[in-house]
Amino acid sequence: MSLSIAEPVRTTPSAASENATKRILLLKPRGFCAGVVRAVDIVKIALETFGAPIYVRKEIVHNSYVVDDLRQKGAIFVDDLEDVPEGKRVIYSAHGVSPAVRERAKERGLKVIDATCPLVTKVHVEAIKFAKQGYSLVLVGHRDHEEVEGTQGEAPDVTQVVSTVEEVAALRVPDPNKVAYLTQTTLSLDEAKYMIEALKKRFPNIVGPHAQDICYATENRQTAVKNVAHGADVVLVVGSRNSSNSNRLVEVSQNLGTNSYLIDKAEDIRPEWLEDVATVAITAGASAPEVLVQDVVLFLQGKGYGSVEEVEVMPENVRFGLPPEIVQAIAAAPQSSRPSA
Ligand code: SF4
């Protein structure tokens, strides 16, 4: 049915009131963390200064949109250093690498730029310190995650990875009084607390890092979800399937009893998720760019979610400096073509 211009659009009272109450809560902080901004900047600046192609070991961050965008700009993502031609330039991802990978890069004469997040490097340093002091190391995390592989690689002979309390119970160490624990940076805070309690019960003299290993970005995004999930019918988390911190945001919401879904992009939203849903909260994992969040907002606005309210749970102003190879490359570039850091 088409309406003439003069004919007023009539909405039934129930539809009108439904639209009036349909709203979006946009959580803050959300999306890119300082480690991801730094890693993506490193690849972009390397492409601008050294020219394409630039090789990147593994996905620079776990987000398919970001990876596809950099691929189009000339980055070549490889799973293995062996796929990088001898003597070429390679960037390590934000998740870090083990010493064995660093050694292999040296043997192959590769020019390395390290985009490991400084907060991941901090965990590597702790692993080295505890191992040197003779501790058996327990690393709480997901064993197939690149960050965990890299950290475990600092002291592979003395490090065991656990991700369940059953695995804690099954641990065997040479001296139960000389055990230290570390955690992956992107775990759920509650899950980590639970696992550390289990470790402390099993090894009463266990020692850990001075400050927790879970990074500020993971903690802040989870805290924002915890603050808002009870007031929402659904929490949408923008992030890729292989993004650890994004998956944890979904779990945090679900554990609070609020339905939550992980989406790479707006088109992933299924109509049944929005049935009888008045309030949708949106957040984004630390590797998901804001442009994808704004697409989701536009999509929902098209479905009648007219009101958008940004809920800032805490401020976040962290920035990390660039690695020396990139700072030197910027300084060496002619003034006119110097990339902005
Ligand atoms: S999520 Fe945390 S550890 Fe990972 S890159 Fe961001 S700041 Fe670094």
Side-chain angles (χ1 to χ4, degrees):
M1 181 184 77
S2 64
L3 296 170
S4 70
I5 292 172
E7 196 175 352
V9 178
R10 289 195 180 84
T11 350
T12 60
S14 61
S17 59
E18 190 193 322
N19 279 353
T21 54
K22 278 176 143 187
R23 61 183 188 144
I24 298 168
L25 303 177
L26 208 44
L27 274 57
K28 202 173 171 192
R30 63 174 180 275
F32 273 17
C33 61
V36 166
V37 169
R38 177 179 182 268
V40 173
D41 280 352
I42 287 171
V43 180
K44 286 184 179 166
I45 295 170
L47 284 165
E48 284 176 43
T49 11
F50 303 117
I54 292 279
Y55 290 83
V56 182
R57 183 185 177 274
K58 309 280 186 189
E59 292 191 347
I60 184 75
V61 298
H62 286 157
N63 185 271
S64 38
Y65 178 95
V66 171
V67 169
D68 287 346
D69 180 54
L70 293 173
R71 190 177 282 123
Q72 276 169 24
K73 290 182 163 77
I76 298 177
F77 293 90
V78 296
D79 267 339
D80 202 308
L81 276 192
E82 306 307 316
D83 297 327
V84 183
E86 298 254 340
K88 291 289 179 191
R89 197 165 262 112
V90 65
I91 299 177
Y92 295 153
S93 80
H95 308 104
V97 298
S98 67
V101 171
R102 288 195 282 271
E103 194 49 43
R104 187 66 190 133
K106 239 188 240 169
E107 285 165 11
R108 305 211 45 238
L110 303 179
K111 297 181 190 116
V112 168
I113 303 173
D114 192 353
T116 304
C117 174
L119 299 182
V120 173
T121 303
K122 168 183 159 278
V123 185
H124 281 232
V125 171
E126 287 161 355
I128 296 165
K129 182 193 81 181
F130 283 130
K132 273 194 183 147
Q133 292 171 351
Y135 285 92
S136 295
L137 271 174
V138 181
L139 176 56
V140 183
H142 303 279
R143 57 174 57 78
D144 55 348
H145 193 278
E146 286 142 38
E147 180 191 322
V148 169
E149 288 170 6
T151 308
Q152 185 177 22
E154 292 291 356
D157 298 339
V158 296
T159 306
Q160 300 179 66
V161 179
V162 291
S163 48
T164 64
V165 283
E166 290 74 27
E167 287 173 354
V168 170
L171 282 169
R172 295 285 169 268
V173 291
D175 180 356
N177 290 313
K178 197 81 182 169
V179 182
Y181 73 85
L182 299 169
T183 78
Q184 191 178 336
T185 56
T186 50
L187 293 183
S188 134
L189 289 163
D190 297 330
E191 187 192 356
K193 192 165 162 254
Y194 184 59
M195 290 292 288
I196 292 165
E197 276 166 11
L199 281 166
K200 284 182 174 166
K201 252 190 214 157
R202 176 83 208 281
F203 305 109
N205 292 326
I206 196 168
V207 295
H210 288 305
Q212 66 162 16
D213 291 327
I214 293 178
C215 76
Y216 80 93
T218 299
E219 178 171 3
N220 290 355
R221 281 150 193 69
Q222 288 179 19
T223 304
V225 169
K226 280 186 183 174
N227 271 267
V228 175
H230 59 85
D233 302 306
V234 164
V235 175
L236 295 178
V237 178
V238 182
S240 288
R241 297 257 145 238
N242 58 346
S243 162
S244 171
N245 77 89
S246 302
N247 280 292
R248 302 296 81 78
L249 292 173
V250 172
E251 288 168 10
V252 166
S253 176
Q254 286 173 343
N255 289 342
L256 292 168
T258 304
N259 285 339
S260 183
Y261 305 99
L262 181 65
I263 51 170
D264 240 322
K265 52 191 182 314
E267 294 74 38
D268 295 344
I269 299 171
R270 294 202 202 138
E272 61 268 29
W273 296 349
L274 302 177
E275 269 170 28
D276 300 323
V277 163
T279 303
V280 181
I282 306 173
T283 185
S287 47
E290 181 63 14
V291 62
L292 298 180
V293 174
Q294 292 307 321
D295 281 352
V296 173
V297 171
L298 277 176
F299 177 90
L300 290 175
Q301 284 178 322
K303 302 282 176 205
Y305 292 83
S307 132
V308 183
E309 189 188 326
E310 188 154 75
V311 184
E312 181 167 14
V313 175
M314 79 262 295
E316 193 177 272
N317 303 305
V318 180
R319 273 185 76 87
F320 296 139
L322 292 167
E325 309 85 23
I326 288 290
V327 174
Q328 283 156 18
I330 293 171
Q335 192 81 36
S336 54
S337 62
R338 199 168 277 182
S340 51

